[in-house]
Amino acid sequence: MLVVPGQRIGQANNFKCGNGTIVIGDFIYATLLGQQVLENGTVSVKSRSQYKTPAVGAQVIGRVYKITTMEASVQILIVEGESTQFTGIIRKQDIAQQTRDVVQSFRLGDVVVARVLHLLQGKSCHLSTVDEDCGVILATSIEGNSMVPISWEEMMDTKTRKIEFRKCAKP
């Protein structure tokens, strides 16, 4: 059955919530345009998009394009090795257990690895960098030079040797 974002597709007490769905109250709703799939008690939506749709738990790579005190917005470029056109939001509570400052954890243009927490309506999802292998993997310093990670929370400018705070991915 073809479903559209926002369409109610099941009751939360009857099915598990799969990819392309979200639970709101007692019901499961589609977050993608696509085919409804019921498999092993899990209801999901298979996207009809030509681009790879991120699955819950999938690792993604993206570039930070907007930062507020509450969240960082990410243009997702790659989902498990395949290109995509999604956006993601890393909320401050989803950065790291020790780090909760969005402005210090990321800068515009940083390339990050993150995990998909859940899909939202349209082509967007909530992301997390709490795992050790998630965080900034490529960054440019304030001076415009390449940076390398020196700890899980610091990167160093390769030319000036100045240190800047970031939530880094474990190499």
Side-chain angles (χ1 to χ4, degrees):
M1 172 166 131
L2 182 67
V3 295
V4 296
Q7 183 175 345
R8 187 186 310 177
I9 58 175
Q11 289 191 309
N13 60 353
N14 293 340
F15 302 103
K16 286 193 261 179
C17 186
N19 294 329
T21 64
I22 190 168
V23 174
I24 301 174
D26 295 331
F27 297 98
I28 299 173
Y29 294 88
T31 60
L32 303 171
L33 172 66
Q35 287 296 125
Q36 179 179 335
V37 178
L38 180 58
E39 194 172 84
N40 299 327
T42 301
V43 65
S44 59
V45 177
K46 184 176 179 186
S47 174
R48 296 184 71 154
S49 169
Q50 64 184 4
Y51 293 102
K52 175 120 174 132
T53 301
V56 173
Q59 189 176 66
V60 299
I61 298 174
R63 183 177 307 276
V64 176
Y65 70 89
K66 181 181 174 186
I67 299 173
T68 68
T69 56
M70 300 301 288
E71 63 189 29
S73 298
V74 177
Q75 177 64 49
I76 300 171
L77 307 170
I78 299 171
V79 176
E80 296 182 337
E82 295 184 40
S83 66
T84 192
Q85 289 187 348
F86 265 76
T87 58
I89 297 169
I90 304 171
R91 300 171 299 181
K92 73 182 209 174
Q93 65 265 31
D94 298 323
I95 294 172
Q97 293 183 5
Q98 300 89 351
T99 307
R100 298 292 171 118
D101 190 335
V102 179
V103 175
Q104 284 188 343
S105 297
F106 308 107
R107 292 256 167 88
L108 292 178
D110 284 357
V111 176
V112 298
V113 173
R115 292 230 181 268
V116 176
L117 292 177
H118 58 86
L119 300 176
L120 302 172
Q121 285 189 349
K123 289 189 166 195
S124 187
C125 55
H126 276 151
L127 303 173
S128 170
T129 58
V130 171
D131 294 346
E132 285 184 356
D133 62 339
C134 294
V136 178
I137 57 172
L138 292 172
T140 304
S141 69
I142 293 172
E143 287 82 13
N145 303 317
S146 296
M147 299 187 79
V148 293
I150 57 173
S151 75
W152 69 271
E153 63 181 0
E154 294 176 321
M155 295 188 93
M156 183 175 62
D157 184 310
T158 56
K159 290 188 180 178
T160 67
R161 315 294 266 177
K162 288 184 182 176
I163 295 172
E164 295 180 18
F165 184 86
R166 297 287 206 292
K167 192 309 185 175
C168 300
K170 186 176 182 177

